Amino acid sequence: MASTELVLAGAKVVTPQGVLENGWVQVRGTEIAAVGTGPAPGPATDLDGRWLVPGFVDVHCHGGGGGSFTSADAEQARTAVATHRAHGTTTMLASLVSAPISELVEQIRALRDLVTAGLLAGVHLEGPFLARSRCGAHDPDVLRPPETEAVQRLLEAGDGAVRMVTLAPELENSVPAIRQLVAHGVIAAIGHTDATLADVAPALAAGATVATHLFNGMRPLHHREPGPIGTLLTDQRVTVELICDLVHLHPSVVRLAAEHAGPGRTVLVTDAISATDAGDGTYRLGNLPVTVRDGQARLADGSLAGSTLTMDAAFRNLVVSCGVGITDAVAAASTTPARLLGLGGVTGSIEPGLAADLVVLDEQLQVTGVLKDGSWVQR
């Protein structure tokens, strides 16, 4: 049960207005009641100069702790959520990989109750409407164009739980599918695509607003044919996902993208699989076997297959290795993804009236405490 009142004081509090030195946050019930600097209002827990940031929001995650969202097993999903919460992720989408429509329907239905209960913020379908030539760790045999009937079956299975769908805009019927998704309040994302610039423009005009793990799983940027990357990175309507594990992207590329898109369009994601926090070994991502060695997840051919990244590590990498300032890093890890999901008035910032989703970080940006809705889940 959430504390009736809790005050965290003596912290560097990162707010939308900047960093509050010697700051404090008052939590009442499940919400942030007040934020300030100087002497705390009443008895307080002294954070001794540590950082206090909003809970992380991950819009692209396949599992963790040995649990996979593709399993159609609610307990595995709970394990994955708990694993990432311990690393500061207080809000997340459950990402599914490409599979036959009937299997996806089953998986969505298994996750629907967890969305209703508030454990998950929704479901992200990464496929099956992807390009075979850029399928990455998706089974090419189940990929297909986004026919209207197939899209409708998936939306009906979720009954509002499906929040984002990634597709390749060059596929037949992709533009009508994007309009269909947007009409149902679903975020249309562009990814795993061999699209040219000419393919991307109508998709954006139809309402696509997200680049799924920019650079990865798409035609590369070329100075005479910018492909999808040039448009997605420069179009102000598009929010770009970045996997900041320093494996999927070089730090200089992360910095380039984050600086160009700015904090309002940059979103950190993990793309984490079940192997996260579960050690090296052999796992499955959908129907494909994945080998994890030294924390890197790969298919038999050497292709990357998601990650073992957590949001606290992504945040730390962004600041320490990529040189992004901590306020912009908070925007990318919390504020901007919350806004993307339509939750900007609920979570993602340290402001009165928002959920008391908070992460305490030490000077090395390691997690030392996590609150979800005013209750400690890691301390």
Side-chain angles (χ1 to χ4, degrees):
M1 182 176 293
S3 306
T4 55
E5 185 167 309
L6 170 68
V7 179
L8 303 176
K12 294 188 286 284
V13 182
V14 184
T15 74
Q17 293 73 41
V19 179
L20 303 180
E21 299 288 346
N22 193 27
W24 53 262
V25 174
Q26 182 184 44
V27 174
R28 187 171 296 126
T30 61
E31 294 184 351
I32 297 170
V35 182
T37 60
T45 299
D46 186 1
L47 295 184
D48 195 26
R50 284 174 285 177
W51 293 96
L52 189 61
V53 302
F56 304 133
V57 179
D58 190 358
V59 301
H60 190 155
C61 179
H62 297 282
S68 172
F69 292 128
T70 65
S71 65
D73 180 343
E75 284 311 305
Q76 284 203 37
R78 290 179 187 277
T79 295
V81 171
T83 297
H84 287 282
R85 276 197 181 171
H87 289 277
T89 299
T90 53
T91 303
M92 68 190 309
L93 294 186
S95 297
L96 301 177
V97 297
S98 299
I101 298 298
S102 58
E103 288 185 24
L104 288 171
V105 165
E106 180 183 358
Q107 292 166 6
I108 293 167
R109 287 174 176 165
L111 295 169
R112 191 171 57 192
D113 288 346
L114 301 183
V115 175
T116 301
L119 199 68
L120 294 168
V123 176
H124 163 218
L125 302 180
E126 189 182 13
F129 313 125
L130 310 178
R132 292 176 66 92
S133 59
R134 302 287 177 183
C135 63
H138 292 257
D139 184 350
D141 292 336
V142 302
L143 302 182
R144 55 183 292 168
E147 299 98 340
T148 301
E149 182 181 356
V151 173
Q152 193 62 33
R153 282 186 64 193
L154 297 172
L155 295 177
E156 289 176 354
D159 192 22
V162 175
R163 294 290 296 115
M164 183 160 66
V165 175
T166 295
L167 50 74
E170 70 272 25
L171 298 181
E172 184 179 0
N173 206 56
S174 63
V175 169
I178 290 169
R179 293 197 185 103
Q180 182 183 7
L181 292 169
V182 172
H184 284 81
V186 177
I187 299 163
I190 293 174
H192 287 282
T193 172
D194 205 31
T196 63
L197 185 151
D199 295 318
V200 175
L204 298 182
T209 56
V210 169
T212 295
H213 46 50
L214 188 73
F215 297 102
N216 295 114
M218 57 181 64
R219 179 191 290 254
L221 181 68
H222 187 277
H223 57 285
R224 286 190 295 274
E225 170 46 62
I229 294 171
T231 301
L232 296 172
L233 190 54
T234 57
D235 195 299
Q236 295 300 305
R237 296 170 293 183
V238 179
T239 300
V240 297
E241 296 181 356
L242 299 175
I243 307 174
C244 194
D245 60 353
L246 312 183
V247 176
H248 281 78
L249 300 172
H250 190 276
S252 63
V253 174
V254 173
R255 185 167 57 251
L256 181 152
E259 287 180 353
H260 191 85
R265 296 200 297 120
T266 302
V267 167
L268 293 180
V269 296
T270 63
D271 198 15
I273 67 171
S274 60
T276 303
D277 261 14
D280 288 357
T282 302
Y283 298 86
R284 298 195 73 81
L285 183 58
N287 295 325
L288 302 180
V290 176
T291 299
V292 178
R293 184 175 295 114
D294 298 327
Q296 294 185 22
R298 296 183 182 271
L299 300 179
D301 66 3
S303 300
L304 288 168
S307 83
T308 60
L309 185 65
T310 54
M311 282 294 286
D312 60 325
F315 180 88
R316 196 161 49 247
N317 290 340
L318 188 65
V319 175
V320 176
S321 299
C322 303
V324 173
I326 200 157
T327 54
D328 285 355
V330 165
S334 305
T335 313
T336 301
R339 189 181 305 127
L340 174 66
L341 296 178
L343 299 175
V346 177
T347 191
S349 301
I350 299 182
E351 298 180 86
L354 270 61
D357 297 341
L358 303 167
V359 182
V360 183
L361 303 169
D362 65 17
E363 283 301 314
Q364 288 71 47
L365 303 181
Q366 299 282 347
V367 173
T368 63
V370 181
L371 283 95
K372 170 63 177 172
D373 290 326
S375 292
W376 291 104
V377 295
Q378 175 75 9
R379 191 176 186 181

Short mmCIF file of all heavy atoms in Angstrom, two decimals, residues 90-141:
data_model
loop_
_atom_site.label_atom_id
_atom_site.label_comp_id
_atom_site.label_asym_id
_atom_site.label_seq_id
_atom_site.Cartn_x
_atom_site.Cartn_y
_atom_site.Cartn_z
N THR A 90 9.09 2.54 -14.69
CA THR A 90 7.81 2.50 -13.99
C THR A 90 6.63 2.46 -14.94
O THR A 90 5.50 2.21 -14.51
CB THR A 90 7.68 3.72 -13.05
OG1 THR A 90 7.91 4.92 -13.79
CG2 THR A 90 8.69 3.63 -11.90
N THR A 91 6.87 2.70 -16.23
CA THR A 91 5.81 2.63 -17.24
C THR A 91 6.40 1.97 -18.47
O THR A 91 7.49 2.33 -18.91
CB THR A 91 5.31 4.04 -17.61
OG1 THR A 91 4.84 4.70 -16.44
CG2 THR A 91 4.19 3.97 -18.64
N MET A 92 5.68 1.01 -19.05
CA MET A 92 6.23 0.33 -20.21
C MET A 92 5.16 -0.26 -21.11
O MET A 92 4.07 -0.62 -20.66
CB MET A 92 7.21 -0.77 -19.79
CG MET A 92 6.57 -1.95 -19.10
SD MET A 92 7.80 -3.07 -18.36
CE MET A 92 8.91 -3.37 -19.73
N LEU A 93 5.50 -0.34 -22.40
CA LEU A 93 4.72 -1.12 -23.35
C LEU A 93 5.33 -2.51 -23.44
O LEU A 93 6.55 -2.67 -23.33
CB LEU A 93 4.75 -0.49 -24.74
CG LEU A 93 4.09 0.87 -24.95
CD1 LEU A 93 4.11 1.24 -26.43
CD2 LEU A 93 2.67 0.91 -24.42
N ALA A 94 4.48 -3.50 -23.68
CA ALA A 94 4.94 -4.86 -23.94
C ALA A 94 5.02 -5.03 -25.45
O ALA A 94 4.01 -4.95 -26.14
CB ALA A 94 3.97 -5.88 -23.34
N SER A 95 6.23 -5.28 -25.95
CA SER A 95 6.42 -5.41 -27.40
C SER A 95 6.36 -6.88 -27.81
O SER A 95 6.97 -7.74 -27.17
CB SER A 95 7.76 -4.82 -27.81
OG SER A 95 7.81 -3.43 -27.55
N LEU A 96 5.63 -7.14 -28.88
CA LEU A 96 5.54 -8.48 -29.46
C LEU A 96 6.27 -8.49 -30.80
O LEU A 96 6.33 -7.47 -31.48
CB LEU A 96 4.07 -8.87 -29.66
CG LEU A 96 3.20 -8.89 -28.40
CD1 LEU A 96 1.76 -9.23 -28.74
CD2 LEU A 96 3.75 -9.88 -27.39
N VAL A 97 6.82 -9.63 -31.16
CA VAL A 97 7.51 -9.75 -32.44
C VAL A 97 6.59 -10.42 -33.45
O VAL A 97 5.51 -10.93 -33.12
CB VAL A 97 8.83 -10.55 -32.31
CG1 VAL A 97 9.80 -9.81 -31.40
CG2 VAL A 97 8.57 -11.96 -31.77
N SER A 98 7.02 -10.44 -34.70
CA SER A 98 6.21 -10.97 -35.79
C SER A 98 5.83 -12.44 -35.55
O SER A 98 6.66 -13.25 -35.13
CB SER A 98 6.96 -10.85 -37.11
OG SER A 98 7.24 -9.50 -37.40
N ALA A 99 4.58 -12.73 -35.85
CA ALA A 99 4.03 -14.08 -35.70
C ALA A 99 2.77 -14.15 -36.55
O ALA A 99 2.27 -13.11 -36.99
CB ALA A 99 3.70 -14.38 -34.23
N PRO A 100 2.24 -15.35 -36.80
CA PRO A 100 0.95 -15.42 -37.48
C PRO A 100 -0.11 -14.63 -36.73
O PRO A 100 -0.06 -14.52 -35.50
CB PRO A 100 0.64 -16.92 -37.48
CG PRO A 100 1.99 -17.58 -37.41
CD PRO A 100 2.81 -16.68 -36.54
N ILE A 101 -1.08 -14.10 -37.44
CA ILE A 101 -2.10 -13.25 -36.82
C ILE A 101 -2.80 -13.98 -35.68
O ILE A 101 -3.04 -13.39 -34.62
CB ILE A 101 -3.13 -12.79 -37.88
CG1 ILE A 101 -2.45 -11.94 -38.96
CG2 ILE A 101 -4.25 -12.01 -37.21
CD1 ILE A 101 -1.83 -10.66 -38.45
N SER A 102 -3.09 -15.27 -35.85
CA SER A 102 -3.79 -16.01 -34.79
C SER A 102 -2.96 -16.07 -33.51
O SER A 102 -3.51 -15.97 -32.40
CB SER A 102 -4.12 -17.43 -35.27
OG SER A 102 -2.94 -18.12 -35.65
N GLU A 103 -1.63 -16.22 -33.63
CA GLU A 103 -0.76 -16.25 -32.45
C GLU A 103 -0.70 -14.87 -31.79
O GLU A 103 -0.72 -14.76 -30.55
CB GLU A 103 0.64 -16.71 -32.82
CG GLU A 103 0.75 -18.19 -33.16
CD GLU A 103 2.17 -18.62 -33.41
OE1 GLU A 103 3.10 -17.94 -32.90
OE2 GLU A 103 2.37 -19.62 -34.13
N LEU A 104 -0.63 -13.84 -32.60
CA LEU A 104 -0.60 -12.48 -32.05
C LEU A 104 -1.88 -12.16 -31.31
O LEU A 104 -1.86 -11.53 -30.25
CB LEU A 104 -0.35 -11.46 -33.16
CG LEU A 104 1.07 -11.44 -33.73
CD1 LEU A 104 1.12 -10.55 -34.96
CD2 LEU A 104 2.07 -10.95 -32.69
N VAL A 105 -2.99 -12.61 -31.83
CA VAL A 105 -4.28 -12.41 -31.16
C VAL A 105 -4.25 -13.05 -29.77
O VAL A 105 -4.67 -12.44 -28.78
CB VAL A 105 -5.43 -12.99 -32.01
CG1 VAL A 105 -6.71 -13.11 -31.18
CG2 VAL A 105 -5.68 -12.11 -33.23
N GLU A 106 -3.72 -14.27 -29.69
CA GLU A 106 -3.62 -14.96 -28.41
C GLU A 106 -2.70 -14.21 -27.44
O GLU A 106 -3.02 -14.05 -26.25
CB GLU A 106 -3.10 -16.38 -28.63
CG GLU A 106 -2.97 -17.21 -27.35
CD GLU A 106 -2.38 -18.58 -27.61
OE1 GLU A 106 -2.12 -18.91 -28.78
OE2 GLU A 106 -2.16 -19.32 -26.63
N GLN A 107 -1.58 -13.74 -27.94
CA GLN A 107 -0.63 -13.02 -27.09
C GLN A 107 -1.22 -11.69 -26.61
O GLN A 107 -1.05 -11.33 -25.44
CB GLN A 107 0.66 -12.77 -27.88
CG GLN A 107 1.45 -14.05 -28.16
CD GLN A 107 2.54 -13.85 -29.20
OE1 GLN A 107 2.79 -12.73 -29.64
NE2 GLN A 107 3.18 -14.93 -29.61
N ILE A 108 -1.89 -10.99 -27.49
CA ILE A 108 -2.51 -9.71 -27.10
C ILE A 108 -3.56 -9.94 -26.02
O ILE A 108 -3.62 -9.21 -25.02
CB ILE A 108 -3.14 -9.03 -28.33
CG1 ILE A 108 -2.06 -8.58 -29.31
CG2 ILE A 108 -3.99 -7.83 -27.90
CD1 ILE A 108 -2.60 -8.18 -30.67
N ARG A 109 -4.38 -10.96 -26.19
CA ARG A 109 -5.42 -11.25 -25.19
C ARG A 109 -4.82 -11.60 -23.84
O ARG A 109 -5.37 -11.25 -22.79
CB ARG A 109 -6.32 -12.38 -25.70
CG ARG A 109 -7.27 -11.95 -26.82
CD ARG A 109 -8.03 -13.12 -27.39
NE ARG A 109 -9.01 -12.69 -28.40
CZ ARG A 109 -9.61 -13.49 -29.25
NH1 ARG A 109 -9.34 -14.81 -29.24
NH2 ARG A 109 -10.47 -13.02 -30.13
N ALA A 110 -3.67 -12.29 -23.86
CA ALA A 110 -3.02 -12.65 -22.60
C ALA A 110 -2.50 -11.42 -21.87
O ALA A 110 -2.41 -11.41 -20.63
CB ALA A 110 -1.88 -13.63 -22.87
N LEU A 111 -2.15 -10.38 -22.60
CA LEU A 111 -1.60 -9.16 -21.99
C LEU A 111 -2.67 -8.13 -21.67
O LEU A 111 -2.43 -7.20 -20.89
CB LEU A 111 -0.57 -8.53 -22.94
CG LEU A 111 0.69 -9.36 -23.22
CD1 LEU A 111 1.48 -8.74 -24.37
CD2 LEU A 111 1.55 -9.46 -21.97
N ARG A 112 -3.84 -8.29 -22.25
CA ARG A 112 -4.89 -7.28 -22.13
C ARG A 112 -5.27 -7.00 -20.68
O ARG A 112 -5.43 -5.84 -20.29
CB ARG A 112 -6.11 -7.74 -22.93
CG ARG A 112 -7.19 -6.70 -23.13
CD ARG A 112 -8.21 -7.24 -24.12
NE ARG A 112 -8.78 -8.51 -23.68
CZ ARG A 112 -9.52 -9.31 -24.46
NH1 ARG A 112 -9.75 -8.97 -25.72
NH2 ARG A 112 -10.02 -10.44 -24.00
N ASP A 113 -5.41 -8.04 -19.88
CA ASP A 113 -5.79 -7.84 -18.47
C ASP A 113 -4.71 -7.09 -17.70
O ASP A 113 -5.03 -6.33 -16.77
CB ASP A 113 -6.07 -9.18 -17.79
CG ASP A 113 -7.37 -9.82 -18.27
OD1 ASP A 113 -8.17 -9.12 -18.91
OD2 ASP A 113 -7.56 -11.02 -18.00
N LEU A 114 -3.44 -7.29 -18.06
CA LEU A 114 -2.36 -6.59 -17.39
C LEU A 114 -2.36 -5.10 -17.75
O LEU A 114 -1.96 -4.26 -16.95
CB LEU A 114 -1.02 -7.21 -17.73
CG LEU A 114 -0.85 -8.69 -17.37
CD1 LEU A 114 0.56 -9.16 -17.71
CD2 LEU A 114 -1.16 -8.94 -15.90
N VAL A 115 -2.82 -4.81 -18.95
CA VAL A 115 -2.98 -3.40 -19.34
C VAL A 115 -4.13 -2.79 -18.56
O VAL A 115 -4.00 -1.68 -18.01
CB VAL A 115 -3.22 -3.29 -20.87
CG1 VAL A 115 -3.51 -1.84 -21.25
CG2 VAL A 115 -2.03 -3.82 -21.64
N THR A 116 -5.24 -3.49 -18.49
CA THR A 116 -6.39 -3.00 -17.74
C THR A 116 -6.04 -2.77 -16.27
O THR A 116 -6.48 -1.79 -15.65
CB THR A 116 -7.56 -4.01 -17.83
OG1 THR A 116 -7.90 -4.19 -19.21
CG2 THR A 116 -8.78 -3.50 -17.08
N ALA A 117 -5.21 -3.65 -15.71
CA ALA A 117 -4.81 -3.54 -14.31
C ALA A 117 -3.77 -2.47 -14.07
O ALA A 117 -3.44 -2.15 -12.92
CB ALA A 117 -4.28 -4.89 -13.81
N GLY A 118 -3.20 -1.91 -15.14
CA GLY A 118 -2.22 -0.84 -15.00
C GLY A 118 -0.79 -1.32 -14.88
O GLY A 118 0.12 -0.51 -14.69
N LEU A 119 -0.56 -2.62 -14.99
CA LEU A 119 0.81 -3.13 -14.91
C LEU A 119 1.59 -2.77 -16.18
O LEU A 119 2.80 -2.54 -16.14
CB LEU A 119 0.80 -4.64 -14.71
CG LEU A 119 2.09 -5.26 -14.18
CD1 LEU A 119 2.33 -4.83 -12.74
CD2 LEU A 119 2.04 -6.79 -14.27
N LEU A 120 0.88 -2.73 -17.29
CA LEU A 120 1.45 -2.32 -18.56
C LEU A 120 0.68 -1.12 -19.09
O LEU A 120 -0.53 -0.99 -18.84
CB LEU A 120 1.36 -3.46 -19.59
CG LEU A 120 2.18 -4.72 -19.31
CD1 LEU A 120 1.74 -5.85 -20.24
CD2 LEU A 120 3.67 -4.44 -19.49
N ALA A 121 1.38 -0.28 -19.85
CA ALA A 121 0.71 0.88 -20.45
C ALA A 121 0.09 0.55 -21.80
O ALA A 121 -0.61 1.38 -22.39
CB ALA A 121 1.70 2.03 -20.61
N GLY A 122 0.34 -0.65 -22.28
CA GLY A 122 -0.22 -1.07 -23.56
C GLY A 122 0.66 -2.08 -24.23
O GLY A 122 1.66 -2.55 -23.67
N VAL A 123 0.28 -2.43 -25.46
CA VAL A 123 0.99 -3.43 -26.26
C VAL A 123 1.51 -2.76 -27.52
O VAL A 123 0.83 -1.95 -28.16
CB VAL A 123 0.06 -4.60 -26.63
CG1 VAL A 123 0.77 -5.59 -27.55
CG2 VAL A 123 -0.44 -5.31 -25.37
N HIS A 124 2.74 -3.10 -27.87
CA HIS A 124 3.37 -2.63 -29.11
C HIS A 124 3.56 -3.84 -30.02
O HIS A 124 4.20 -4.82 -29.63
CB HIS A 124 4.72 -1.98 -28.78
CG HIS A 124 5.62 -1.83 -29.96
ND1 HIS A 124 6.98 -2.02 -29.88
CD2 HIS A 124 5.38 -1.50 -31.26
CE1 HIS A 124 7.53 -1.82 -31.06
NE2 HIS A 124 6.59 -1.50 -31.92
N LEU A 125 3.01 -3.77 -31.22
CA LEU A 125 3.20 -4.83 -32.20
C LEU A 125 4.34 -4.45 -33.13
O LEU A 125 4.20 -3.56 -33.97
CB LEU A 125 1.92 -5.05 -33.01
CG LEU A 125 0.65 -5.39 -32.22
CD1 LEU A 125 -0.53 -5.57 -33.15
CD2 LEU A 125 0.87 -6.65 -31.39
N GLU A 126 5.49 -5.10 -32.97
CA GLU A 126 6.60 -4.90 -33.87
C GLU A 126 6.51 -5.99 -34.94
O GLU A 126 7.16 -7.01 -34.88
CB GLU A 126 7.94 -4.97 -33.13
CG GLU A 126 9.11 -4.53 -33.99
CD GLU A 126 10.45 -4.65 -33.29
OE1 GLU A 126 10.53 -5.28 -32.21
OE2 GLU A 126 11.41 -4.10 -33.83
N GLY A 127 5.66 -5.74 -35.91
CA GLY A 127 5.37 -6.72 -36.94
C GLY A 127 3.99 -7.31 -36.75
O GLY A 127 3.31 -7.00 -35.78
N PRO A 128 3.54 -8.11 -37.73
CA PRO A 128 4.31 -8.78 -38.79
C PRO A 128 4.38 -8.01 -40.11
O PRO A 128 4.74 -8.58 -41.14
CB PRO A 128 3.52 -10.07 -38.98
CG PRO A 128 2.08 -9.64 -38.79
CD PRO A 128 2.15 -8.59 -37.70
N PHE A 129 4.07 -6.72 -40.08
CA PHE A 129 3.97 -5.94 -41.31
C PHE A 129 5.32 -5.27 -41.64
O PHE A 129 5.43 -4.05 -41.72
CB PHE A 129 2.86 -4.90 -41.17
CG PHE A 129 1.58 -5.46 -40.61
CD1 PHE A 129 0.99 -4.90 -39.49
CD2 PHE A 129 0.98 -6.56 -41.20
CE1 PHE A 129 -0.19 -5.41 -38.97
CE2 PHE A 129 -0.21 -7.09 -40.69
CZ PHE A 129 -0.79 -6.52 -39.57
N LEU A 130 6.35 -6.12 -41.81
CA LEU A 130 7.73 -5.64 -41.95
C LEU A 130 8.32 -6.12 -43.27
O LEU A 130 7.83 -7.08 -43.88
CB LEU A 130 8.58 -6.16 -40.79
CG LEU A 130 8.03 -5.95 -39.37
CD1 LEU A 130 8.97 -6.56 -38.34
CD2 LEU A 130 7.80 -4.47 -39.10
N ALA A 131 9.41 -5.46 -43.69
CA ALA A 131 10.09 -5.83 -44.93
C ALA A 131 10.99 -7.04 -44.70
O ALA A 131 11.79 -7.06 -43.75
CB ALA A 131 10.92 -4.66 -45.43
N ARG A 132 10.89 -8.03 -45.57
CA ARG A 132 11.73 -9.22 -45.44
C ARG A 132 13.21 -8.86 -45.51
O ARG A 132 14.04 -9.46 -44.82
CB ARG A 132 11.39 -10.22 -46.55
CG ARG A 132 10.01 -10.86 -46.42
CD ARG A 132 9.74 -11.77 -47.60
NE ARG A 132 10.63 -12.91 -47.62
CZ ARG A 132 10.38 -14.09 -47.06
NH1 ARG A 132 9.24 -14.28 -46.41
NH2 ARG A 132 11.24 -15.08 -47.15
N SER A 133 13.55 -7.89 -46.33
CA SER A 133 14.96 -7.53 -46.52
C SER A 133 15.56 -6.84 -45.31
O SER A 133 16.78 -6.72 -45.20
CB SER A 133 15.10 -6.62 -47.74
OG SER A 133 14.33 -5.44 -47.58
N ARG A 134 14.73 -6.37 -44.38
CA ARG A 134 15.20 -5.70 -43.17
C ARG A 134 14.54 -6.31 -41.93
O ARG A 134 14.27 -5.62 -40.95
CB ARG A 134 14.88 -4.20 -43.24
CG ARG A 134 15.47 -3.48 -44.44
CD ARG A 134 16.97 -3.30 -44.31
NE ARG A 134 17.53 -2.66 -45.53
CZ ARG A 134 18.80 -2.44 -45.71
NH1 ARG A 134 19.68 -2.77 -44.77
NH2 ARG A 134 19.25 -1.89 -46.83
N CYS A 135 14.31 -7.63 -41.97
CA CYS A 135 13.52 -8.26 -40.90
C CYS A 135 14.29 -8.42 -39.60
O CYS A 135 13.68 -8.59 -38.54
CB CYS A 135 12.95 -9.59 -41.36
SG CYS A 135 14.19 -10.84 -41.75
N GLY A 136 15.64 -8.40 -39.66
CA GLY A 136 16.39 -8.54 -38.41
C GLY A 136 16.06 -9.85 -37.72
O GLY A 136 16.12 -10.92 -38.33
N ALA A 137 15.68 -9.77 -36.45
CA ALA A 137 15.38 -10.97 -35.66
C ALA A 137 13.89 -11.34 -35.71
O ALA A 137 13.34 -11.85 -34.75
CB ALA A 137 15.81 -10.76 -34.22
N HIS A 138 13.25 -11.06 -36.84
CA HIS A 138 11.86 -11.46 -37.05
C HIS A 138 11.84 -12.60 -38.07
O HIS A 138 12.58 -12.58 -39.06
CB HIS A 138 11.03 -10.28 -37.56
CG HIS A 138 10.83 -9.21 -36.55
ND1 HIS A 138 9.66 -9.04 -35.84
CD2 HIS A 138 11.69 -8.24 -36.11
CE1 HIS A 138 9.80 -8.02 -35.02
NE2 HIS A 138 11.02 -7.52 -35.16
N ASP A 139 10.99 -13.57 -37.84
CA ASP A 139 10.87 -14.72 -38.73
C ASP A 139 10.34 -14.25 -40.09
O ASP A 139 9.20 -13.79 -40.19
CB ASP A 139 9.91 -15.73 -38.11
CG ASP A 139 9.78 -17.01 -38.92
OD1 ASP A 139 10.27 -17.05 -40.06
OD2 ASP A 139 9.16 -17.97 -38.41
N PRO A 140 11.14 -14.35 -41.15
CA PRO A 140 10.69 -13.84 -42.46
C PRO A 140 9.49 -14.58 -43.01
O PRO A 140 8.73 -14.04 -43.82
CB PRO A 140 11.92 -14.01 -43.36
CG PRO A 140 12.74 -15.07 -42.69
CD PRO A 140 12.50 -14.90 -41.22
N ASP A 141 9.27 -15.82 -42.55
CA ASP A 141 8.17 -16.63 -43.09
C ASP A 141 6.79 -16.15 -42.64
O ASP A 141 5.78 -16.56 -43.22
CB ASP A 141 8.35 -18.10 -42.70
CG ASP A 141 9.56 -18.74 -43.37
OD1 ASP A 141 9.98 -18.24 -44.43
OD2 ASP A 141 10.09 -19.72 -42.82
#
